[in-house]
Amino acid sequence: MKIQEVLTRGLWTENPVFRLMLGLCPVLATSTSVQNAVGMGIAVIFVLTCSNLLISLIRSVVPDKIRIPIFISIIATFVTLVDLIMAAYFPDLHKSLGLFIPLIVVNCIILGRAEAFASKNNLFFSLMDGIAMGSGFTAALCLIATFREILGNGTWLGIPLFGSGFEPALLMILPSGAFFTIAFIIASLNGWDRRRKRQTKPSVQ
Amino acid sequence: MEIQSLLIISISAVFISNFVLSRILGLCPFIGVSKQLDSALGMGLAVIFVMGVASAVTWVIYRYLMLPSEQNLIYLILKGHIQNPPNLIYLRTLVFILVIAALVQFVEMVIQKTSPGLYRALGIYLPLITTNCAVLGVSILNIDSDYNFIESVVNGLMSGIGFTLALILMSGIREKLELANLPKAMRGTPIAFILAGLMALAFLGFSGLSIP
């Protein structure tokens, strides 16, 4: 296995949000602004990398039958760390992310990577996989947040982009805006895949 | 007075802040299990049940084992050895997720032994519920909103009913949609999300309900 393969898989070919559709709840709920998205993304990268490292470290001593409860306890420990650190140093961000920080525990990406990757691979690859998958998640979150913040609020990272004449579409920062945005992104990816398949097919024959 | 506050909690849990369409929680089963009405109903019943039980159990554990107070059971047992009641609030996430995972296993075993019919209906959906963020979500929300025991249980059950309502509406529409002529790229998940968005818009109307 090559390191590039691990990295591109997390960021693109097996992007957790757009390709595997894992961990959608925090993606849709916290993408109301780019600032929230970056905060959530960093929290997920931290938890995913640390839990991947620790699980890879102890993978040979964990009995197979009780591995899931052990993984969940490890993940919950790191989530509690993030929760407390964020509450202490970034109280505003902690307040706006609210419920979704403790809910990182049940994010399928983290348990999924622990089960599918970290428990079978060595320390270095698990670290890289954690960083790549976490960054893929963050990139997807930021992309959705960019659409929603620009259309729904007329700003990007809090910077106003349009003059005072711009009437923001409030719909986009409501829950339904999140659903519409992800629907169109996934549909365009599907369409792109289909077109590429059609183009590559004749050249193979 | 009590009844009135319970009614307010119920209406707001089912309609105004519906778990799926307003709080955006529990999307995986909402998209994954909404292809057929039967399985949606099974999943919905399992979620109502687990959310109700989880609300009750986590509330009791939080109140009597983790919150620093005179009634803390650890404090009462070790009274001679420690001066102050222990403050274990920071363990909330860890304890709640383990309790919910154990609870789901336990519920599964009890149902399997006591009523095979119900087990056949709910069986496959029960293990999936552990990773449904709505269950952990409702437990934490109960604590954050300072609900008492009865309010917590009602909030848990009603949030489960709200989830089921959204799931059943969705599966009803998706069954019809199987026959619709859609652009190929839109088939499957994308159109499901568009539907969810439209339903969220419709449910937005409920937020105009003003409750005295």
Side-chain angles (χ1 to χ4, degrees):
Chain A
M1 191 174 4
K2 285 200 190 107
I3 177 99
Q4 292 97 316
E5 195 195 335
V6 175
L7 288 177
T8 50
R9 205 167 49 185
L11 286 171
W12 181 245
T13 47
E14 280 181 28
N15 183 296
V17 177
F18 293 141
R19 300 292 180 169
L20 307 180
M21 314 230 187
L22 291 177
L24 285 176
C25 312
V27 169
L28 296 187
T30 60
S31 59
T32 45
S33 73
V34 179
Q35 198 187 354
N36 283 355
V38 172
M40 186 70 189
I42 290 172
V44 169
I45 292 179
F46 175 79
V47 174
L48 189 54
T49 314
C50 292
S51 69
N52 259 10
L53 262 183
L54 192 58
I55 286 165
S56 171
L57 204 64
I58 61 166
R59 69 184 188 279
S60 49
V61 284
V62 174
D64 205 37
K65 277 191 179 150
I66 54 163
R67 65 181 195 286
I68 300 285
I70 290 179
F71 293 169
I72 291 182
S73 331
I74 290 173
I75 295 167
T77 310
F78 286 117
V79 170
T80 309
L81 267 178
V82 168
D83 197 12
L84 294 177
I85 291 173
M86 205 177 261
Y89 292 103
F90 307 100
D92 292 341
L93 188 63
H94 185 261
K95 210 173 181 183
S96 62
L97 292 178
L99 190 58
F100 286 89
I101 292 293
L103 285 182
I104 298 176
V105 181
V106 279
N107 192 324
C108 334
I109 300 171
I110 294 169
L111 190 59
R113 290 327 282 174
E115 173 77 7
F117 198 93
S119 61
K120 298 189 182 83
N121 287 286
N122 67 25
L123 214 58
F124 178 69
F125 278 125
S126 302
L127 173 73
M128 281 300 144
D129 182 71
I131 293 175
M133 280 286 163
S135 315
F137 175 83
T138 310
L141 189 53
C142 288
L143 179 71
I144 297 175
T146 301
F147 280 119
R148 289 182 68 191
E149 197 185 334
I150 290 178
L151 291 175
N153 205 18
T155 57
W156 193 79
L157 251 178
I159 309 157
L161 293 180
F162 310 105
S164 54
F166 178 72
E167 193 73 45
L170 191 62
L171 171 76
M172 290 304 285
I173 50 173
L174 293 172
S176 35
F179 289 122
F180 291 141
T181 314
I182 194 156
F184 282 113
I185 292 177
I186 293 173
S188 6
L189 276 176
N190 282 351
W192 192 66
D193 275 359
R194 289 173 53 78
R195 169 174 284 191
R196 222 174 44 158
K197 248 179 227 159
R198 221 181 300 141
Q199 278 170 351
T200 50
K201 240 182 192 167
S203 65
V204 171
Q205 289 166 349
Chain B
M1 194 58 215
E2 179 81 318
I3 297 291
Q4 197 185 358
S5 83
L6 291 183
L7 196 68
I8 291 173
I9 290 175
S10 310
I11 291 176
S12 103
V14 176
F15 295 111
I16 300 171
S17 47
N18 184 291
F19 252 66
V20 183
L21 298 170
S22 166
R23 289 192 200 275
I24 326 196
L25 286 170
L27 280 185
C28 302
F30 180 67
I31 299 293
V33 198
S34 61
K35 283 189 185 123
Q36 277 170 351
L37 202 55
D38 294 344
S39 47
L41 200 62
M43 183 73 188
L45 288 178
V47 168
I48 295 176
F49 190 66
V50 172
M51 274 170 105
V53 179
S55 296
V57 173
T58 51
W59 190 89
V60 169
I61 286 179
Y62 186 80
R63 179 73 182 77
Y64 291 107
L65 288 178
M66 296 163 75
L67 207 65
S69 69
E70 291 296 313
Q71 292 106 23
N72 190 309
L73 284 178
I74 299 174
Y75 176 64
L76 291 179
I77 292 168
L78 300 173
K79 209 160 194 176
H81 306 283
I82 47 176
Q83 270 111 38
N84 295 317
N87 184 346
L88 300 176
I89 293 176
Y90 66 94
L91 284 176
R92 187 176 70 174
T93 314
L94 180 63
V95 169
F96 278 15
I97 187 70
L98 290 178
V99 165
I100 290 170
L103 188 75
V104 171
Q105 286 275 315
F106 180 71
V107 166
E108 193 182 349
M109 284 193 295
V110 168
I111 294 180
Q112 194 176 9
K113 291 280 180 230
T114 53
S115 82
L118 189 64
Y119 181 73
R120 238 171 288 134
L122 303 184
I124 27 172
Y125 303 111
L126 277 171
L128 292 178
I129 294 177
T130 315
T131 51
N132 183 340
C133 46
V135 180
L136 183 60
V138 82
S139 309
I140 294 178
L141 268 177
N142 287 336
I143 305 295
D144 284 348
S145 342
D146 277 333
Y147 286 153
N148 65 28
F149 182 73
I150 297 175
E151 285 170 339
S152 294
V153 175
V154 168
N155 189 33
L157 287 174
M158 285 302 165
S159 302
I161 290 176
F163 174 85
T164 311
L165 178 72
L167 191 64
I168 287 176
L169 287 175
M170 182 75 170
S171 63
I173 306 175
R174 278 183 89 174
E175 274 190 350
K176 293 265 187 294
L177 212 66
E178 288 289 304
L179 305 169
N181 191 9
L182 286 169
K184 289 213 171 67
M186 269 291 180
R187 279 188 196 159
T189 320
I191 194 70
F193 275 119
I194 298 266
L195 275 178
L198 292 175
M199 280 165 65
L201 262 187
F203 269 69
L204 198 62
F206 289 118
S207 66
L209 283 180
S210 67
I211 297 169

